[in-house]
């Protein structure tokens, strides 16, 4: 594994995992007031496009990372719509 | 441009732009209570690693997208630390 591949893999794992603390906090507190609805709406659309891109290229790291992020951002967006 | 490249470019533009509404909302309201400090801490580290990955590969789309996202996520993280 080259150092670039190692850094890219670490980057993918860390950015993908980073949404979990927000999911946990939002489920626990039910407070979504300062979270931007527009941000998560655009973010979810973008991540779905990344997933389609990965599927078109049969690129499993892109498919895996973005499948996880579709789930986490969808949970945050749903809670934002529910709690306002 | 292939359809995969078009979808990948759209994905990059939309996910990169998606943080701007959060930046604007946070600057306007000064309310960061429901934003996760851990999320933006990990996210910023991940995006810096993506930027290093882009620099190692001399890949300009990765460099550009992640330079913008380092700035937007750093602004949100700074406001979170400031306003709590």
């Amino acid at each position: 594994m080259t150092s670039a591949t190692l850094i890219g893999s670490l980057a993918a794992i860390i950015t993908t995992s980073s949404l979990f603390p927000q999911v946990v906090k939002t489920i626990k507190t039910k407070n979504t007031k300062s979270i931007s609805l527009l941000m998560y709406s655009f973010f979810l659309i973008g991540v779905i496009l990344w997933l389609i891109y990965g599927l078109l290229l049969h690129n499993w790291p892109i498919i895996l990372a973005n499948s996880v992020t579709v789930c986490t951002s969808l949970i945050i967006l749903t809670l934002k719509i529910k709690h306002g």
Side-chain angles (χ1 to χ4, degrees), chain A residues 19-51:
Chain A
L19 270 81
F20 282 98
Q22 183 68 67
V23 169
V24 172
K25 184 183 172 94
T26 311
I27 289 174
K28 270 187 178 172
T29 63
K30 295 186 177 65
N31 185 340
T32 55
K33 206 180 168 191
S34 50
I35 290 174
S36 165
L37 177 67
L38 261 184
M39 171 186 157
Y40 281 95
S41 307
F42 279 115
F43 191 70
L44 181 61
I45 293 167
V47 174
I48 289 169
L49 289 173
W50 274 125
L51 181 57

Side-chain angles (χ1 to χ4, degrees), chain A residues 4-77:
Chain A
T5 309
L6 182 70
I7 289 173
S9 308
L10 256 178
I13 292 168
I14 294 176
T15 46
T16 301
S17 310
S18 69
L19 270 81
F20 282 98
Q22 183 68 67
V23 169
V24 172
K25 184 183 172 94
T26 311
I27 289 174
K28 270 187 178 172
T29 63
K30 295 186 177 65
N31 185 340
T32 55
K33 206 180 168 191
S34 50
I35 290 174
S36 165
L37 177 67
L38 261 184
M39 171 186 157
Y40 281 95
S41 307
F42 279 115
F43 191 70
L44 181 61
I45 293 167
V47 174
I48 289 169
L49 289 173
W50 274 125
L51 181 57
I52 295 168
Y53 178 72
L55 289 166
L56 287 171
L57 298 188
H58 304 281
N59 182 312
W60 286 101
I62 297 181
I63 294 170
L64 278 177
N66 288 286
S67 298
V68 173
T69 309
V70 164
C71 296
T72 46
S73 54
L74 187 61
I75 292 171
I76 298 168
L77 183 62

